[in-house]
């Protein structure tokens, strides 16, 4: 059987088993290709060249095993391979962190797109905070996108910080990224010119309905309370004291825009365009936060 035919057959198994995607791939074929190529020691871009290669019986048995494990355990493929990509940047991941998928990453690398952050930043943007950093992916991408900035990567989880350090070292950014243990903004110093935050925001009802794959991820990195806004309330309250005069906060709230707007009715924000639409990520200035806190 050729490589492409084998991947297609394994994709059919994944689809028939009803696994859920969203941790790096969006469909059964891409998930199958990821697992099969990884198992055979091939890069993802090898498929086009190697598609017609005949696989031996041993190779087929070897490559079928992780697909079976994916089906039986419902673990995301990233946990099986210990690798994930965000904006084509590779990261180490394991069960200590959620699989990186923040749409904020698009805004950091999109220098010409409609949702770019550049219009909100200036040559005075020097200090960046990646709050709730998880595996450190946004901190790394921010440091890559803006070579002149220094980045603090903060999280309350010792496990997450251990993984973040792996990725900071992997990308040789230890001189520009500082990993900090902090309960939200409590232990960071500031002032920051840009705060990036992808906090736990899934509301309680949605948490109960998550597919099995998401239940392998640390619940503390997902669950945001009854309306998903528990952590967001604290962040918006405390952020101005950690921000420079012209600073902005970029906040991801996923599918919780209705809950956000209900909880923060008088807060002036800008919704940023991403591949998921204009209701997933918002930007708020320090001035807007200060006005809102006084209201």
């Amino acid at each position: 059987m050729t490589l492409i035919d084998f991947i297609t057959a394994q994709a059919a198994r994944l689809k028939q088993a009803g696994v859920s995607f969203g941790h790096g791939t969006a469909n059964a074929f891409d998930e199958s290709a990821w697992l099969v190529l990884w198992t055979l020691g091939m890069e993802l871009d090898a498929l086009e060249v190697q598609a017609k290669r005949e696989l031996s019986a041993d190779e087929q048995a070897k490559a079928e095993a992780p697909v079976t494990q994916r089906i039986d355990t419902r673990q995301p493929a990233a946990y099986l391979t210990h690798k994930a990509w965000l904006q084509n940047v590779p990261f180490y991941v394991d069960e200590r962190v959620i699989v990186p998928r923040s749409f904020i990453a698009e805004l950091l690398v999109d220098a010409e797109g409609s949702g770019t952050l550049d219009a909100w930043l200036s040559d005075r943007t020097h200090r960046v905070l990646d709050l709730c950093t998880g595996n450190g992916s946004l901190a790394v991408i921010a440091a890559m996108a803006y070579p002149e900035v220094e980045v603090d990567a903060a999280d309350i989880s010792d496990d997450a910080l251990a993984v973040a350090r792996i990725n900071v070292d992997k990308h040789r950014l230890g001189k520009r990224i500082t990993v900090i243990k902090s309960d939200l903004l409590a232990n960071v110093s500031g002032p920051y010119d840009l705060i990036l935050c992808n906090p736990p925001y899934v509301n309680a009802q949605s948490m109960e309905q998550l597919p099995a794959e998401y239940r392998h991820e640390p619940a503390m990195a997902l669950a945001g309370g009854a309306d998903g806004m528990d952590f967001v309330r604290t962040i918006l309250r405390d952020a101005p004291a950690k921000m420079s005069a012209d600073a902005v906060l970029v906040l991801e709230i996923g599918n919780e825009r209705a809950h956000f707007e209900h909880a923060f009715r008088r807060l002036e924000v800008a919704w940023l365009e991403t591949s998921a639409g204009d209701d997933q990520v918002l930007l708020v200035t320090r001035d807007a936060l200060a006005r809102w806190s006084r209201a």
Side-chain angles (χ1 to χ4, degrees):
M1 181 179 291
T2 64
L3 176 62
I4 188 65
D5 288 341
F6 183 79
I7 288 173
T8 302
Q10 298 307 307
R13 292 181 63 209
L14 291 169
K15 187 174 182 179
Q16 184 177 14
V19 302
S20 292
F21 308 106
H23 291 89
T25 69
N27 59 72
F29 182 86
D30 288 349
E31 190 98 348
S32 173
W34 179 3
L35 289 170
V36 171
L37 293 171
W38 169 76
T39 305
L40 297 178
M42 300 181 187
E43 296 297 326
L44 289 181
D45 58 5
L47 179 56
E48 184 175 354
V49 175
Q50 300 285 340
K52 298 301 183 181
R53 175 189 158 188
E54 291 287 337
L55 298 184
S56 68
D58 286 345
E59 286 178 319
Q60 292 181 47
K62 180 180 179 181
E64 187 175 312
V67 177
T68 300
Q69 186 178 4
R70 174 75 175 85
I71 291 169
D72 291 345
T73 68
R74 291 307 201 261
Q75 285 182 287
Y79 289 161
L80 301 179
T81 63
H82 295 305
K83 193 171 186 178
W85 293 262
L86 193 59
Q87 291 299 299
N88 296 318
V89 180
F91 294 99
Y92 173 85
V93 295
D94 60 31
E95 293 84 348
R96 293 175 290 179
V97 293
I98 63 172
V99 179
R101 50 187 176 270
S102 175
F103 292 109
I104 293 174
E106 296 179 11
L107 303 171
L108 291 171
V109 303
D110 181 14
E112 299 178 355
S114 60
T116 182
L117 296 180
D118 287 356
W120 299 90
L121 307 179
S122 72
D123 56 6
R124 296 185 298 277
T125 303
H126 296 300
R127 295 198 66 203
V128 176
L129 171 64
D130 176 19
L131 186 62
C132 305
T133 192
N135 80 328
S137 54
L138 290 182
V140 167
I141 292 174
M144 289 179 170
Y146 301 104
E148 70 279 7
V149 305
E150 294 183 355
V151 183
D152 286 349
D155 205 292
I156 193 174
S157 166
D158 289 322
D159 283 344
L161 294 174
V163 177
R165 290 187 184 96
I166 292 173
N167 285 309
V168 170
D169 291 343
K170 174 184 177 71
H171 292 285
R172 299 180 180 180
L173 289 168
K175 292 183 178 180
R176 293 178 49 221
I177 299 178
T178 302
V179 178
I180 301 171
K181 182 173 183 178
S182 182
D183 184 356
L184 295 181
L185 290 155
N187 297 326
V188 298
S189 58
Y192 297 103
D193 306 306
L194 171 63
I195 298 178
L196 310 169
C197 187
N198 181 22
Y201 55 68
V202 183
N203 70 67
Q205 182 178 359
S206 295
M207 281 295 296
E208 293 178 358
Q209 299 170 352
L210 286 177
E213 282 79 357
Y214 291 86
R215 298 187 181 278
H216 283 281
E217 297 183 297
M220 68 179 297
L222 296 172
D227 64 351
M229 295 295 108
D230 284 4
F231 296 98
V232 176
R233 289 183 177 89
T234 302
I235 292 165
L236 296 184
R237 181 196 69 200
D238 295 343
K242 307 290 184 177
M243 300 169 75
S244 61
D246 298 323
V248 295
L249 164 65
V250 178
L251 182 70
E252 184 159 336
I253 49 90
N255 297 316
E256 306 292 345
R257 179 168 178 170
H259 283 135
F260 178 90
E261 292 182 334
H262 179 78
F264 310 105
R265 298 180 185 181
R266 296 181 178 85
L267 179 59
E268 299 174 13
V269 305
W271 294 93
L272 304 180
E273 184 74 28
T274 71
S275 61
D278 61 358
D279 59 356
Q280 302 273 319
V281 179
L282 62 95
L283 179 148
V284 58
T285 66
R286 184 189 183 280
D287 285 345
L289 284 170
R291 289 194 300 271
W292 170 72
S293 65
R294 292 193 300 266

